[in-house]
Amino acid sequence: AAGRSRARGRDGPRQRCRAAGDCEVAAADDPWKRVDPQSGRARDRRGDDAGAESADEEDAAPIASLDQLLAQAEVLRPFLNLKVEQWARACRGLLPVEGGRRWAGLEAWNGQGGAEHPPLKPLERIADKLHCSLGMDPSRLLDVCRDRIAFESGEDLRACLAAMTEDPEVVVEGVCGRGLAATEDGLGADGAPCYHRCAVVHLRLASEATWRFGVERHVCEVQLMPVGAAEAQGEEGDARYVAY
């Protein structure tokens, strides 16, 4: 099965609550049969298409509770970390090791200690983002649960993006480029190095496991970036991005 992507309107993707059909459980005698635990009503999901899924999406109200969003992100985080490591293995991606001081390939982070993944977005940054750019709407906050992969070549980055969009457990909600306004010499508008240059992928992990934990609708963010941009990031780079 191929991965799924959605065409979004001007407002972009939103964090949404579960729709009515999301609470159905798989029947023991048929993996395609879903049963509503309250009414006992069963339906066959065999042959469901993107149109049917879009109809379910319309039934799902945007999330209005920041507490609910943070709880979902905490549950989803290990699932996203595992996916990121799978994509990095398949596409020669680099992940941070040694406290984020170095980006390394499979041979370095597959052993003792492993790769290091970013924490959930800090509450201070969440509050700042909600107030400054999201109109205090938690449903538009898509990067509470996030991760990143660096690459030494554009070909590997493109291969990883293709692997993500073709993953049968992934629904890609949107892809965009991100970077400070830069000049030809690689400097930002303020004359300082441009630290944030990456492809940003907003996606959902719609697997059987995430469905059972109730987080299959949570949108998370994965940044794909050149290793040079990744190495330039850090507290100074984050501060410049916030200031920008």
Side-chain angles (χ1 to χ4, degrees):
R4 292 158 285 174
S5 299
R6 296 184 182 279
R8 290 296 177 185
R10 182 175 55 186
D11 292 337
R14 294 284 186 94
Q15 302 283 9
R16 295 185 179 273
C17 303
R18 278 187 153 184
D22 290 339
C23 294
E24 297 171 341
V25 298
D29 59 339
D30 185 350
W32 286 100
K33 186 185 295 182
R34 298 290 181 178
V35 180
D36 186 318
Q38 294 184 342
S39 68
R41 185 183 62 184
R43 65 168 174 157
D44 194 332
R45 294 297 298 271
R46 189 181 288 105
D48 277 6
D49 55 18
E53 191 173 11
S54 296
D56 287 343
E57 181 82 10
E58 294 301 320
D59 293 337
I63 284 180
S65 168
L66 183 58
D67 286 345
Q68 180 181 359
L69 193 66
L70 293 172
Q72 288 184 351
E74 187 69 47
V75 174
L76 185 65
R77 183 171 176 256
F79 293 102
L80 178 63
N81 295 163
L82 180 60
K83 273 292 183 187
V84 162
E85 292 185 10
Q86 292 174 354
W87 292 324
R89 284 192 188 95
C91 303
R92 295 185 291 188
L94 308 176
L95 298 179
V97 295
E98 300 176 2
R101 294 187 297 273
R102 186 168 68 90
W103 289 74
L106 173 64
E107 69 284 351
W109 51 263
N110 199 35
Q112 186 175 3
E116 298 171 8
H117 298 275
L120 299 183
K121 195 175 191 71
L123 290 176
E124 181 180 358
R125 284 287 295 120
I126 288 175
D128 180 65
K129 192 168 186 176
L130 285 172
H131 178 73
C132 295
S133 58
L134 299 183
M136 301 302 291
D137 182 356
S139 72
R140 297 173 62 194
L141 193 61
L142 308 179
D143 61 345
V144 177
C145 181
R146 69 269 176 87
D147 214 324
R148 53 191 177 170
I149 312 174
F151 301 90
E152 293 181 327
S153 74
E155 290 77 10
D156 290 338
L157 190 154
R158 286 190 291 270
C160 185
L161 182 58
M164 296 167 73
T165 58
E166 294 168 3
D167 192 315
E169 295 182 342
V170 169
V171 179
V172 174
E173 297 281 356
V175 181
C176 65
R178 177 181 296 169
L180 306 185
T183 58
E184 292 182 359
D185 57 6
L187 301 181
D190 60 353
C194 181
Y195 289 106
H196 285 258
R197 285 179 176 171
C198 58
V200 179
V201 184
H202 290 126
L203 56 88
R204 293 191 288 112
L205 299 181
S207 66
E208 185 73 16
T210 58
W211 173 78
R212 289 186 180 278
F213 279 93
V215 293
E216 79 286 353
R217 283 197 182 274
H218 188 90
V219 180
C220 53
E221 178 179 289
V222 178
Q223 296 183 5
L224 310 178
M225 62 187 71
V227 65
E231 290 172 342
Q233 284 188 355
E235 292 185 3
E236 181 183 357
D238 290 339
R240 287 189 179 279
Y241 185 71
V242 171
Y244 176 78

